[in-house]
Amino acid sequence: MIEVRGILGAAVENLGTRIVGGDWAEGEAISREADLVEELGVSRSVVRESFRILGAKGLIRSRTSDGTRVTPRAEWRLLDPDVMDWRIRAGDTLTLLDDLQKVRLVMEPGIAFTATQMATPEQRARVQATWDRKVEVAEDTEADAAEQRQNFIDSDLDFHRALIECVGSELLEQLYSVIEASLSISIDLQMAAVGYVSEMVGMDESHELHEAVYRAFMDGDAERASTAMRRVIQSAIRDMQEGLARHSP
């Protein structure tokens, strides 16, 4: 992720969101530099630096003889946090979340299996601590609805993160950190789909499925942990699809 703020950050965000949103089709030349200077109210140097950043994210390619064109989607850095954010801003949230759930379905059962086999005593203690926190949040009757809802999402993500840490792969940990923000949106949508909008309802099944993962992990049963995790993700996918169907026009 390239951290940019201020005038440059606003210009990059504007153009990035419009590109992933389809304002310019793949292969199409985007607006001329002079036109963007006037439209965005920025200097030429800001537009050029924006092009450089967007090019680094795989969204555009500039050539002297051909102008600046949108690259094929296959070349976009789809795991870039900015690109994910722009997709959401451009209204591509549902496709992104569906894709993320498929990634989880492929990845996380294997993570649960390997984590169960490889966890050190310290890592097992960390998983136990995150589970205890998850139980505490689920049983909390003091927090207001908004706070409990956010605590539920945070504790869920932390539990999954702790399992990934047991594998001991920096690449997996970084991948999870990249998709974590979007996963929080996915969990929020799942909660809304089963009725958890203003109070703690509808999440009993999710909690029980996660508990099956935790129990299998603590028992050292890798096969059972993997199967239980697959059920967690399949349930999340089902809830998300039901939620999307309910909110579709």
Side-chain angles (χ1 to χ4, degrees):
M1 180 175 181
I2 301 173
E3 187 72 27
V4 288
R5 298 176 180 173
I7 295 174
L8 175 59
V12 171
E13 180 180 299
N14 179 296
L15 295 173
T17 301
R18 291 163 64 186
I19 290 170
V20 301
D23 282 17
W24 298 285
E26 296 175 36
E28 183 180 353
I30 68 174
S31 302
R32 297 180 308 163
E33 181 181 295
D35 294 333
L36 290 174
V37 165
E38 181 177 353
E39 178 186 345
L40 301 177
V42 298
S43 65
R44 285 181 178 270
S45 62
V46 168
V47 172
R48 290 169 184 168
E49 181 63 11
S50 297
F51 283 178
R52 186 191 69 79
I53 293 171
L54 295 169
K57 295 177 184 295
L59 298 182
I60 60 174
R61 182 180 297 113
S62 298
R63 291 175 177 163
T64 304
S65 59
D66 198 34
T68 299
R69 295 183 179 273
V70 177
T71 57
R73 188 182 179 90
E75 297 181 21
W76 296 0
R77 310 290 188 264
L78 294 176
L79 284 175
D80 185 294
D82 284 333
V83 176
M84 286 188 179
D85 183 57
W86 296 337
R87 288 178 65 183
I88 292 170
R89 291 174 183 273
D92 194 23
T93 307
L94 306 185
T95 303
L96 173 60
L97 295 183
D98 180 64
D99 204 4
L100 284 171
Q101 294 290 16
K102 291 174 183 175
V103 170
R104 295 186 72 192
L105 187 60
V106 171
M107 183 175 71
E108 292 203 53
I111 288 172
F113 183 96
T114 307
T116 303
Q117 288 188 322
M118 298 182 63
T120 66
E122 293 78 11
Q123 289 169 333
R124 291 171 68 83
R126 156 90 166 122
V127 172
Q128 183 175 4
T130 62
W131 175 253
D132 290 344
R133 172 57 179 160
K134 193 165 172 57
V135 171
E136 178 185 332
V137 168
E139 296 177 349
D140 184 11
T141 58
E142 299 298 325
D144 64 47
E147 181 182 0
Q148 190 179 26
R149 186 183 179 93
Q150 188 58 53
N151 288 342
F152 190 95
I153 293 173
D154 292 343
S155 65
D156 188 287
L157 292 172
D158 202 29
F159 176 71
H160 287 269
R161 190 187 306 112
L163 288 173
I164 291 174
E165 290 170 0
C166 294
V167 177
S169 167
E170 292 179 337
L171 292 177
L172 275 177
E173 290 177 24
Q174 189 168 106
L175 174 61
Y176 190 75
S177 69
V178 166
I179 67 175
E180 196 169 24
S182 296
L183 283 180
S184 69
I185 299 174
S186 177
I187 296 170
D188 190 72
L189 178 61
Q190 179 190 359
M191 293 166 75
V194 296
Y196 183 9
V197 177
S198 60
E199 58 185 39
M200 187 71 168
V201 297
M203 296 309 294
D204 292 345
E205 181 185 7
S206 174
H207 189 73
E208 290 171 2
L209 291 172
H210 279 81
E211 183 174 12
V213 175
Y214 170 70
R215 298 298 176 194
F217 172 84
M218 296 304 291
D219 290 344
D221 190 332
E223 288 285 358
R224 184 156 55 94
S226 177
T227 299
M229 182 61 82
R230 180 170 295 278
R231 289 172 180 157
V232 166
I233 308 304
Q234 289 173 331
S235 175
I237 291 174
R238 184 193 67 236
D239 288 342
M240 189 182 74
Q241 290 174 340
E242 290 177 358
L244 298 181
R246 188 177 304 169
H247 291 91
S248 62

